[in-house]
Amino acid sequence: DLSIGEERTLGPWPVTESDIVSFATDYDPLPFHTDPVAAAETPHDGLIASGLQTVCIANRLVVDGFRRDLAVIAGLEIEHMTWSKPVRPGAVLTVESKILDKRLSESNPDNGIVRHEIRVFDQDDAEVLSYVEAMLVER
């Protein structure tokens, strides 16, 4: 049911200081993610979100706006992941998803493999993250 080249825009997702600190406290407790005072003294010149948090936000938007409607069996691979700009408190993120290709599974023709590009943008339309994801889906 998916077409190569099909695109979707997903979001928005606001990112607050408390979201950044909470996520980082649990999963990436570096001072520039958890402590605004210490973060001001780093090369980042202030608090920034963990790159992993940005990936998690992108994943949530993709699940809510796209993947939930598919018969996903499993994620297979993430490739070419690039963080191009820090995400700061007050950012509002959106995701652009584009189907790059699809093919039948070689081991089970009842399944297919779909590759799609994920690009995450902030409120200024600056790209903050991009990657390509492959997933196994039921046909």
Side-chain angles (χ1 to χ4, degrees), residues 125-137:
D125 292 325
E127 187 174 288
V128 299
L129 170 67
S130 63
Y131 59 95
V132 174
E133 176 183 53
M135 58 189 160
L136 183 66
V137 297

Side-chain angles (χ1 to χ4, degrees), residues 44-116:
H44 302 293
D45 196 30
L47 197 70
I48 62 170
S50 168
L52 297 174
Q53 182 178 14
T54 308
V55 172
C56 288
I57 291 168
N59 186 70
R60 175 61 188 263
L61 289 170
V62 170
V63 167
D64 287 350
F66 170 60
R67 200 178 304 138
R68 187 176 303 216
D69 296 334
L70 301 176
V72 175
I73 298 168
L76 298 176
E77 180 179 28
I78 293 177
E79 53 186 286
H80 309 297
M81 185 171 283
T82 303
W83 290 273
S84 43
K85 181 183 174 194
V87 173
R88 299 192 179 275
V92 179
L93 303 180
T94 57
V95 169
E96 291 183 5
S97 171
K98 181 179 180 179
I99 304 297
L100 299 177
D101 56 62
K102 62 182 185 174
R103 65 177 174 83
L104 292 177
S105 168
E106 293 175 8
S107 61
N108 183 346
D110 291 333
N111 299 329
I113 296 172
V114 176
R115 288 178 64 246
H116 65 124

